[in-house]
Amino acid sequence: MPKLFIKTFGCQMNVYDSARMRDALSVHGFKETEEPDKADVILVNTCHIREKASEKLFSELGRLAQLKKKNALVVVAGCVVQADGAEILRRSKLIDIAVGPQNYHQLPELIAKYNRKNGRVIQADFPAESKFDYLPDPQKSSAAAFLAVQEGCDHFCSYCVVPYTRGCEYSRPMKEIVAEAKALVKAGAKEIMLLGQNVNGWHGDEGKDLGDVIREVAKIRGLKRIRYTTSYPSEMTQNLIDAHKDTPKLMPYIHLPIQSGNDRVLKAMNRQYTVKEYEKIVAKFRKVRPDIAISSDFIVGFPGETEAEFEDTLRLVERVGYASSYSFKFSARPGTPASLMKNQIPEDVKTKRLMKLQALLLKQQKAFNEATVGKEFDVLLTEKGKVRGQLVGYSPYLQGTVVKAPVKMLGEIVRVKVTGASATALKGEIVK
Ligand code: SAH
Ligand code: SF4
Ligand code: F3S
């Protein structure tokens, strides 16, 4: 049996894509391995979002060059291929096949037909057909699974490459989503995270929105938890917000990236909402679900951002109170309008701002975690802990939670009493 090694960079969508590529190849006899030196096919799934993310491909290829079997086939997939396919083939002689995010259903065929003598292959157009029509049902699933319901983005934030790497918005029909969710549950999923670059922009069935998808998926027996990400603030519907009230399986957590707490910066970013509008949406979530955990993404040092404008972001964070967050220094990406803007912010200023913001976000995260000490909730055990005899799972609020439990309990949902908290994790005991 040929062996397949996969290395995945980037967002949850890439993790999902890697699972689908693994499944597509597994029906052709490939077996996944964790050891790159044993693999016949090495697959690197790449991310283009920031410069650092993009460069990871080349450090990984450098590492693999030392390890790989002489005749192993090297496949590069993902957003870097879509953005820069020809260039990466030029930069690394190691790559045999490059395949974009909308073409990976063709991977089994590309591999089967590949012949070094005929030259390297790049497949990165946006095909008319949907890859979802060609991919097999999920063959394997972890207890917490991902399911892409929407892909691509029409927002064109001025800093972002995603509309170019993933293409325009496409929503999968409800029927297809429910069928895939059922297959995931059959394969062992207890929780499903519905994914989309603009997930709450889902419009796969006439007159319906993501709230309806969630209620439909919630009917699947054996599925215990539902999450979704990433939402665009101004596309939030009351129907979706209400799902947090009427659908118990939907977890009390919303990732709602604001990016900046200043209206002028938001406008320059081409984000289609104001700070005030964002805070109104947050209030609506808290009205239906007062305990909801809110998280966000932030960019500091966007071109032209003044110190006062940056401080507006700190004030916004103080007002909202986040359970967790991701924050980044602005990275000028080729082909985006923001990369050409004047008044690029010096690196050291960006670094200072990022440190200040992250200190505040971490303080909030710690406070949020500490407030759960003494409480009891369900935890889905998904990973082995660093220490033997420990497992790690996630609380309804997506807090990583460490408990003492035997490996055989992986994949189970257990009742946990929280006994301790840090900024990044909870400690708890399973209660009988
Ligand atoms: N669709 C999602 C986010 C996708 S990218 C949304 O709109 O929220 C994930 C995060 O990466 C973004 O929210 C943003 O904070 C960050 N990001 C995207 N492009 C970036 C860039 N050029 N520089 C720095 N951060 C960036
Ligand atoms: Fe990128 Fe903006 Fe689309 Fe998010 S909404 S993927 S940040 S263009
Ligand atoms: Fe990266 Fe592509 Fe996801 S650029 S963040 S892997 S959509």
Side-chain angles (χ1 to χ4, degrees):
M1 244 188 203
K3 292 208 173 103
L4 169 70
F5 171 81
I6 306 181
K7 173 77 191 178
T8 306
F9 296 108
C11 62
Q12 288 118 324
M13 186 74 85
N14 256 16
V15 176
Y16 171 82
D17 290 341
S18 287
R20 301 313 305 272
M21 288 189 269
R22 175 201 67 208
D23 290 340
L25 289 168
S26 81
V27 301
H28 289 268
F30 280 87
K31 207 173 150 27
E32 199 177 359
T33 173
E34 312 246 296
E35 299 163 282
D37 52 326
K38 305 257 160 57
D40 304 286
V41 170
I42 289 176
L43 172 62
V44 185
N45 197 5
T46 60
C47 174
H48 194 59
I49 199 81
R50 286 167 292 274
E51 192 183 350
K52 261 195 197 150
S54 228
E55 285 303 317
K56 281 183 184 159
L57 165 63
F58 297 99
S59 47
E60 181 67 11
L61 287 175
R63 186 180 82 94
L64 291 169
Q66 311 297 318
L67 286 170
K68 76 178 199 69
K69 288 205 291 198
K70 191 160 168 278
N71 277 324
L73 209 70
V74 175
V75 180
V76 175
C79 290
V80 177
V81 174
Q82 196 63 52
D84 242 356
E87 174 62 22
I88 61 171
L89 287 189
R90 253 196 305 277
R91 256 182 85 174
S92 173
K93 294 279 167 280
L94 212 63
I95 304 166
D96 296 298
I97 297 173
V99 65
Q102 307 308 342
N103 306 84
Y104 65 72
H105 56 295
Q106 300 163 1
L107 205 48
E109 199 190 330
L110 291 174
I111 290 175
K113 284 196 180 150
Y114 184 71
N115 182 334
R116 278 208 173 83
K117 274 186 238 121
N118 298 343
R120 309 147 89 198
V121 178
I122 174 163
Q123 194 70 269
D125 51 355
F126 287 111
E129 81 243 21
S130 159
K131 67 186 171 218
F132 296 112
D133 295 340
Y134 295 83
L135 290 165
D137 272 351
Q139 309 287 303
K140 243 170 81 177
S141 178
S142 37
F146 293 133
L147 198 174
V149 301
Q150 180 279 336
E151 206 181 337
C153 186
D154 297 341
H155 280 293
F156 289 91
C157 300
S158 59
Y159 52 80
C160 184
V161 296
V162 170
Y164 313 101
T165 64
R166 290 277 167 172
C168 58
E169 290 187 20
Y170 170 75
S171 296
R172 298 175 72 186
M174 177 94 83
K175 239 177 74 190
E176 202 178 299
I177 294 166
V178 173
E180 189 168 319
K182 283 184 178 161
L184 285 167
V185 172
K186 211 173 138 201
K190 298 264 171 62
E191 172 183 304
I192 292 180
M193 171 91 85
L194 304 173
L195 296 180
Q197 267 87 39
N198 179 22
V199 74
N200 58 332
W202 180 88
H203 55 264
D205 285 31
E206 186 72 39
K208 300 216 160 117
D209 71 17
L210 189 69
D212 303 309
V213 177
I214 288 166
R215 291 186 189 92
E216 211 46 50
V217 170
K219 290 180 188 156
I220 299 172
R221 283 184 56 199
L223 179 67
K224 307 287 188 210
R225 295 173 152 195
I226 301 169
R227 303 180 186 275
Y228 60 97
T229 203
T230 296
S231 297
Y232 191 85
S234 59
E235 290 199 51
M236 202 45 90
T237 64
Q238 192 60 46
N239 188 46
L240 175 53
I241 296 172
D242 286 342
H244 284 274
K245 188 167 59 184
D246 60 42
T247 310
K249 287 183 185 178
L250 183 58
M251 292 292 103
Y253 182 99
I254 169 79
H255 183 56
L256 199 60
I258 187 169
Q259 311 298 353
S260 161
N262 176 273
D263 284 340
R264 191 203 64 81
V265 175
L266 286 176
K267 201 155 182 223
M269 288 176 164
N270 195 29
R271 300 287 289 186
Q272 282 117 20
Y273 52 84
T274 63
V275 175
K276 214 175 193 167
E277 283 161 358
Y278 177 89
E279 291 190 75
K280 268 196 193 145
I281 298 158
V282 168
K284 283 186 188 169
F285 274 102
R286 288 194 161 137
K287 189 157 172 227
V288 301
R289 195 67 214 240
D291 64 331
I292 199 162
I294 298 172
S295 69
S296 176
D297 296 342
F298 297 92
I299 296 175
V300 302
F302 187 80
E305 184 190 63
T306 66
E307 202 58 35
E309 288 169 341
F310 164 68
E311 277 169 16
D312 284 345
T313 299
L314 298 177
R315 299 293 92 77
L316 176 274
V317 170
E318 278 162 0
R319 289 198 301 279
V320 172
Y322 288 99
S324 68
S325 279
Y326 300 91
S327 42
F328 313 98
K329 287 190 259 186
F330 168 77
S331 171
R333 305 305 288 134
T336 62
S339 69
L340 304 172
M341 287 178 186
K342 293 197 189 73
N343 305 319
Q344 297 284 330
I345 306 295
E347 202 54 31
D348 59 326
V349 176
K350 286 190 214 169
T351 304
K352 258 190 219 143
R353 288 181 188 171
L354 186 67
M355 281 167 66
K356 228 176 180 173
L357 175 61
Q358 288 188 336
L360 174 60
L361 291 168
L362 208 64
K363 200 174 98 188
Q364 288 194 342
Q365 195 170 316
K366 188 158 182 253
F368 183 85
N369 286 349
E370 281 171 348
T372 57
V373 175
K375 292 195 175 145
E376 268 183 33
F377 42 56
D378 290 340
V379 169
L380 171 59
L381 300 172
T382 49
E383 293 142 45
K384 287 185 200 162
K386 283 194 196 111
V387 179
R388 237 184 109 121
Q390 284 185 342
L391 295 182
V392 183
Y394 286 89
S395 79
Y397 310 105
L398 211 62
Q399 298 151 291
T401 307
V402 184
V403 296
K404 224 167 91 183
V407 176
K408 66 171 198 293
M409 288 181 86
L410 268 178
E412 283 183 35
I413 293 179
V414 292
R415 195 79 190 155
V416 167
K417 182 172 178 161
V418 183
T419 56
S422 71
T424 50
L426 302 180
K427 219 168 64 184
E429 280 164 10
I430 298 178
V431 290
K432 299 277 155 351

mmCIF file of all heavy atoms in Angstrom, residues 49-50 157 159-162 197-198 230-232 257 259 271 297-299 328-333, ligand 1:
data_model
loop_
_atom_site.group_PDB
_atom_site.id
_atom_site.type_symbol
_atom_site.label_atom_id
_atom_site.label_comp_id
_atom_site.label_asym_id
_atom_site.label_seq_id
_atom_site.Cartn_x
_atom_site.Cartn_y
_atom_site.Cartn_z
ATOM 1 N N ILE A 49 -1.758 33.723 3.634
ATOM 2 C CA ILE A 49 -2.420 34.885 4.241
ATOM 3 C C ILE A 49 -1.454 36.005 4.646
ATOM 4 O O ILE A 49 -1.736 37.161 4.435
ATOM 5 C CB ILE A 49 -3.310 34.453 5.448
ATOM 6 C CG1 ILE A 49 -4.328 35.529 5.757
ATOM 7 C CG2 ILE A 49 -2.526 34.084 6.687
ATOM 8 C CD1 ILE A 49 -5.534 35.505 4.885
ATOM 9 N N ARG A 50 -0.314 35.616 5.241
ATOM 10 C CA ARG A 50 0.717 36.595 5.581
ATOM 11 C C ARG A 50 2.049 36.088 5.037
ATOM 12 O O ARG A 50 2.190 34.900 4.762
ATOM 13 C CB ARG A 50 0.799 36.790 7.106
ATOM 14 C CG ARG A 50 -0.363 37.590 7.678
ATOM 15 C CD ARG A 50 -0.446 37.508 9.193
ATOM 16 N NE ARG A 50 -0.813 36.188 9.622
ATOM 17 C CZ ARG A 50 -2.069 35.740 9.735
ATOM 18 N NH1 ARG A 50 -3.084 36.541 9.468
ATOM 19 N NH2 ARG A 50 -2.318 34.507 10.111
ATOM 20 N N CYS A 157 -11.491 42.698 1.306
ATOM 21 C CA CYS A 157 -10.827 43.589 2.258
ATOM 22 C C CYS A 157 -9.497 43.974 1.614
ATOM 23 O O CYS A 157 -8.858 43.143 0.960
ATOM 24 C CB CYS A 157 -10.606 42.878 3.590
ATOM 25 S SG CYS A 157 -12.162 42.331 4.324
ATOM 26 N N TYR A 159 -6.542 44.354 2.400
ATOM 27 C CA TYR A 159 -5.275 43.717 2.784
ATOM 28 C C TYR A 159 -5.213 42.235 2.445
ATOM 29 O O TYR A 159 -4.175 41.597 2.609
ATOM 30 C CB TYR A 159 -5.073 43.859 4.308
ATOM 31 C CG TYR A 159 -6.290 43.387 5.096
ATOM 32 C CD1 TYR A 159 -6.518 42.037 5.345
ATOM 33 C CD2 TYR A 159 -7.245 44.303 5.549
ATOM 34 C CE1 TYR A 159 -7.643 41.606 6.014
ATOM 35 C CE2 TYR A 159 -8.381 43.882 6.220
ATOM 36 C CZ TYR A 159 -8.570 42.525 6.448
ATOM 37 O OH TYR A 159 -9.699 42.101 7.094
ATOM 38 N N CYS A 160 -6.324 41.650 1.970
ATOM 39 C CA CYS A 160 -6.486 40.191 2.046
ATOM 40 C C CYS A 160 -6.361 39.469 0.713
ATOM 41 O O CYS A 160 -6.887 39.911 -0.307
ATOM 42 C CB CYS A 160 -7.840 39.879 2.680
ATOM 43 S SG CYS A 160 -8.122 38.117 2.938
ATOM 44 N N VAL A 161 -5.693 38.329 0.718
ATOM 45 C CA VAL A 161 -5.491 37.540 -0.506
ATOM 46 C C VAL A 161 -6.594 36.496 -0.742
ATOM 47 O O VAL A 161 -6.674 35.915 -1.834
ATOM 48 C CB VAL A 161 -4.130 36.788 -0.489
ATOM 49 C CG1 VAL A 161 -2.965 37.759 -0.479
ATOM 50 C CG2 VAL A 161 -4.043 35.829 0.708
ATOM 51 N N VAL A 162 -7.419 36.260 0.271
ATOM 52 C CA VAL A 162 -8.369 35.137 0.182
ATOM 53 C C VAL A 162 -9.303 35.194 -1.041
ATOM 54 O O VAL A 162 -9.513 34.174 -1.703
ATOM 55 C CB VAL A 162 -9.147 34.966 1.508
ATOM 56 C CG1 VAL A 162 -10.287 33.971 1.360
ATOM 57 C CG2 VAL A 162 -8.197 34.512 2.614
ATOM 58 N N GLN A 197 -15.173 30.859 4.571
ATOM 59 C CA GLN A 197 -14.415 32.101 4.705
ATOM 60 C C GLN A 197 -15.359 33.215 5.131
ATOM 61 O O GLN A 197 -14.971 34.161 5.781
ATOM 62 C CB GLN A 197 -13.741 32.476 3.382
ATOM 63 C CG GLN A 197 -12.327 31.958 3.271
ATOM 64 C CD GLN A 197 -12.298 30.539 2.721
ATOM 65 O OE1 GLN A 197 -13.063 30.205 1.841
ATOM 66 N NE2 GLN A 197 -11.402 29.735 3.228
ATOM 67 N N ASN A 198 -16.610 33.061 4.747
ATOM 68 C CA ASN A 198 -17.648 34.034 5.083
ATOM 69 C C ASN A 198 -18.893 33.200 5.394
ATOM 70 O O ASN A 198 -19.883 33.233 4.671
ATOM 71 C CB ASN A 198 -17.840 34.943 3.860
ATOM 72 C CG ASN A 198 -18.898 35.981 4.071
ATOM 73 O OD1 ASN A 198 -19.230 36.320 5.200
ATOM 74 N ND2 ASN A 198 -19.444 36.492 2.986
ATOM 75 N N THR A 230 -15.853 31.336 9.682
ATOM 76 C CA THR A 230 -15.746 32.628 10.312
ATOM 77 C C THR A 230 -16.876 33.530 9.830
ATOM 78 O O THR A 230 -17.174 33.550 8.636
ATOM 79 C CB THR A 230 -14.408 33.289 9.919
ATOM 80 O OG1 THR A 230 -13.336 32.524 10.420
ATOM 81 C CG2 THR A 230 -14.296 34.666 10.478
ATOM 82 N N SER A 231 -17.427 34.310 10.729
ATOM 83 C CA SER A 231 -18.552 35.170 10.380
ATOM 84 C C SER A 231 -18.096 36.576 10.043
ATOM 85 O O SER A 231 -17.147 37.086 10.626
ATOM 86 C CB SER A 231 -19.516 35.245 11.566
ATOM 87 O OG SER A 231 -20.049 33.971 11.838
ATOM 88 N N TYR A 232 -18.796 37.177 9.106
ATOM 89 C CA TYR A 232 -18.535 38.576 8.744
ATOM 90 C C TYR A 232 -19.580 39.435 9.457
ATOM 91 O O TYR A 232 -20.784 39.188 9.306
ATOM 92 C CB TYR A 232 -18.630 38.752 7.223
ATOM 93 C CG TYR A 232 -18.130 40.089 6.760
ATOM 94 C CD1 TYR A 232 -16.776 40.286 6.516
ATOM 95 C CD2 TYR A 232 -19.004 41.162 6.590
ATOM 96 C CE1 TYR A 232 -16.309 41.527 6.103
ATOM 97 C CE2 TYR A 232 -18.537 42.404 6.179
ATOM 98 C CZ TYR A 232 -17.185 42.575 5.936
ATOM 99 O OH TYR A 232 -16.716 43.797 5.528
ATOM 100 N N PRO A 257 -14.661 38.589 13.784
ATOM 101 C CA PRO A 257 -13.490 39.462 13.623
ATOM 102 C C PRO A 257 -13.880 40.909 13.313
ATOM 103 O O PRO A 257 -14.648 41.152 12.383
ATOM 104 C CB PRO A 257 -12.746 38.850 12.436
ATOM 105 C CG PRO A 257 -13.257 37.459 12.303
ATOM 106 C CD PRO A 257 -14.690 37.533 12.748
ATOM 107 N N GLN A 259 -11.204 43.400 13.336
ATOM 108 C CA GLN A 259 -9.934 43.853 12.720
ATOM 109 C C GLN A 259 -9.394 45.153 13.316
ATOM 110 O O GLN A 259 -8.199 45.265 13.597
ATOM 111 C CB GLN A 259 -10.032 44.006 11.185
ATOM 112 C CG GLN A 259 -10.647 42.830 10.438
ATOM 113 C CD GLN A 259 -9.892 41.518 10.558
ATOM 114 O OE1 GLN A 259 -8.801 41.470 11.115
ATOM 115 N NE2 GLN A 259 -10.487 40.438 10.060
ATOM 116 N N ARG A 271 -13.782 47.199 5.154
ATOM 117 C CA ARG A 271 -14.699 46.404 5.984
ATOM 118 C C ARG A 271 -16.029 47.155 5.983
ATOM 119 O O ARG A 271 -16.070 48.365 6.171
ATOM 120 C CB ARG A 271 -14.172 46.257 7.421
ATOM 121 C CG ARG A 271 -12.831 45.570 7.539
ATOM 122 C CD ARG A 271 -12.861 44.086 7.283
ATOM 123 N NE ARG A 271 -13.505 43.316 8.333
ATOM 124 C CZ ARG A 271 -13.528 41.976 8.343
ATOM 125 N NH1 ARG A 271 -12.959 41.278 7.365
ATOM 126 N NH2 ARG A 271 -14.137 41.316 9.302
ATOM 127 N N ASP A 297 -10.459 38.620 15.370
ATOM 128 C CA ASP A 297 -9.128 38.817 14.793
ATOM 129 C C ASP A 297 -8.856 40.316 14.747
ATOM 130 O O ASP A 297 -9.794 41.114 14.581
ATOM 131 C CB ASP A 297 -9.063 38.309 13.346
ATOM 132 C CG ASP A 297 -9.283 36.813 13.223
ATOM 133 O OD1 ASP A 297 -9.144 36.099 14.231
ATOM 134 O OD2 ASP A 297 -9.599 36.364 12.107
ATOM 135 N N PHE A 298 -7.597 40.659 14.887
ATOM 136 C CA PHE A 298 -7.188 42.072 14.809
ATOM 137 C C PHE A 298 -5.960 42.210 13.933
ATOM 138 O O PHE A 298 -5.093 41.342 13.934
ATOM 139 C CB PHE A 298 -6.828 42.607 16.207
ATOM 140 C CG PHE A 298 -7.977 42.595 17.171
ATOM 141 C CD1 PHE A 298 -8.189 41.501 18.002
ATOM 142 C CD2 PHE A 298 -8.850 43.672 17.243
ATOM 143 C CE1 PHE A 298 -9.249 41.478 18.890
ATOM 144 C CE2 PHE A 298 -9.918 43.654 18.130
ATOM 145 C CZ PHE A 298 -10.122 42.551 18.960
ATOM 146 N N ILE A 299 -5.905 43.308 13.207
ATOM 147 C CA ILE A 299 -4.689 43.662 12.470
ATOM 148 C C ILE A 299 -4.180 44.986 13.024
ATOM 149 O O ILE A 299 -4.942 45.958 13.082
ATOM 150 C CB ILE A 299 -4.972 43.814 10.961
ATOM 151 C CG1 ILE A 299 -5.414 42.468 10.370
ATOM 152 C CG2 ILE A 299 -3.735 44.332 10.227
ATOM 153 C CD1 ILE A 299 -5.835 42.541 8.907
ATOM 154 N N PHE A 328 -2.569 40.189 14.615
ATOM 155 C CA PHE A 328 -1.478 40.098 13.650
ATOM 156 C C PHE A 328 -0.949 41.479 13.299
ATOM 157 O O PHE A 328 -1.697 42.463 13.300
ATOM 158 C CB PHE A 328 -1.960 39.459 12.343
ATOM 159 C CG PHE A 328 -2.763 38.204 12.549
ATOM 160 C CD1 PHE A 328 -4.152 38.231 12.526
ATOM 161 C CD2 PHE A 328 -2.119 37.001 12.778
ATOM 162 C CE1 PHE A 328 -4.893 37.077 12.720
ATOM 163 C CE2 PHE A 328 -2.847 35.840 12.973
ATOM 164 C CZ PHE A 328 -4.239 35.873 12.953
ATOM 165 N N LYS A 329 0.335 41.508 12.935
ATOM 166 C CA LYS A 329 0.883 42.722 12.324
ATOM 167 C C LYS A 329 0.447 42.723 10.870
ATOM 168 O O LYS A 329 0.476 41.665 10.212
ATOM 169 C CB LYS A 329 2.411 42.694 12.367
ATOM 170 C CG LYS A 329 2.977 42.931 13.743
ATOM 171 C CD LYS A 329 4.479 43.121 13.658
ATOM 172 C CE LYS A 329 5.185 41.848 14.055
ATOM 173 N NZ LYS A 329 6.643 42.012 14.137
ATOM 174 N N PHE A 330 0.075 43.869 10.362
ATOM 175 C CA PHE A 330 -0.267 43.973 8.942
ATOM 176 C C PHE A 330 0.890 43.459 8.095
ATOM 177 O O PHE A 330 2.045 43.820 8.303
ATOM 178 C CB PHE A 330 -0.579 45.434 8.578
ATOM 179 C CG PHE A 330 -0.665 45.646 7.090
ATOM 180 C CD1 PHE A 330 -1.788 45.238 6.390
ATOM 181 C CD2 PHE A 330 0.388 46.233 6.393
ATOM 182 C CE1 PHE A 330 -1.859 45.419 5.005
ATOM 183 C CE2 PHE A 330 0.324 46.418 5.018
ATOM 184 C CZ PHE A 330 -0.813 46.000 4.322
ATOM 185 N N SER A 331 0.560 42.607 7.137
ATOM 186 C CA SER A 331 1.549 42.075 6.213
ATOM 187 C C SER A 331 1.135 42.491 4.802
ATOM 188 O O SER A 331 0.008 42.225 4.369
ATOM 189 C CB SER A 331 1.581 40.542 6.354
ATOM 190 O OG SER A 331 2.367 39.947 5.347
ATOM 191 N N ALA A 332 2.026 43.188 4.104
ATOM 192 C CA ALA A 332 1.689 43.677 2.758
ATOM 193 C C ALA A 332 1.745 42.513 1.773
ATOM 194 O O ALA A 332 2.819 41.979 1.502
ATOM 195 C CB ALA A 332 2.675 44.774 2.357
ATOM 196 N N ARG A 333 0.601 42.118 1.260
ATOM 197 C CA ARG A 333 0.547 40.960 0.367
ATOM 198 C C ARG A 333 0.492 41.390 -1.088
ATOM 199 O O ARG A 333 -0.305 42.271 -1.455
ATOM 200 C CB ARG A 333 -0.674 40.087 0.697
ATOM 201 C CG ARG A 333 -0.753 39.644 2.135
ATOM 202 C CD ARG A 333 0.503 38.916 2.596
ATOM 203 N NE ARG A 333 0.649 37.584 2.031
ATOM 204 C CZ ARG A 333 1.797 37.114 1.507
ATOM 205 N NH1 ARG A 333 2.862 37.874 1.442
ATOM 206 N NH2 ARG A 333 1.859 35.878 1.046
HETATM 207 N N1 SAH B 1 -12.676 35.566 6.512
HETATM 208 C C1 SAH B 1 -12.186 35.868 7.769
HETATM 209 C C2 SAH B 1 -10.685 35.818 7.958
HETATM 210 C C3 SAH B 1 -9.769 35.130 7.068
HETATM 211 S S1 SAH B 1 -8.065 35.406 7.296
HETATM 212 C C4 SAH B 1 -12.638 37.256 8.156
HETATM 213 O O1 SAH B 1 -12.964 38.073 7.348
HETATM 214 O O2 SAH B 1 -12.581 37.530 9.327
HETATM 215 C C5 SAH B 1 -7.830 35.355 9.033
HETATM 216 C C6 SAH B 1 -7.312 36.626 9.601
HETATM 217 O O3 SAH B 1 -6.020 36.914 9.107
HETATM 218 C C7 SAH B 1 -8.108 37.856 9.284
HETATM 219 O O4 SAH B 1 -9.242 37.991 10.082
HETATM 220 C C8 SAH B 1 -7.114 38.961 9.528
HETATM 221 O O5 SAH B 1 -7.129 39.383 10.869
HETATM 222 C C9 SAH B 1 -5.782 38.288 9.220
HETATM 223 N N2 SAH B 1 -5.205 38.778 7.976
HETATM 224 C C10 SAH B 1 -5.682 38.618 6.723
HETATM 225 N N3 SAH B 1 -4.868 39.244 5.839
HETATM 226 C C11 SAH B 1 -3.869 39.801 6.549
HETATM 227 C C12 SAH B 1 -2.710 40.593 6.206
HETATM 228 N N4 SAH B 1 -2.448 40.945 4.958
HETATM 229 N N5 SAH B 1 -1.895 40.988 7.217
HETATM 230 C C13 SAH B 1 -2.150 40.659 8.500
HETATM 231 N N6 SAH B 1 -3.216 39.935 8.864
HETATM 232 C C14 SAH B 1 -4.059 39.494 7.917
#
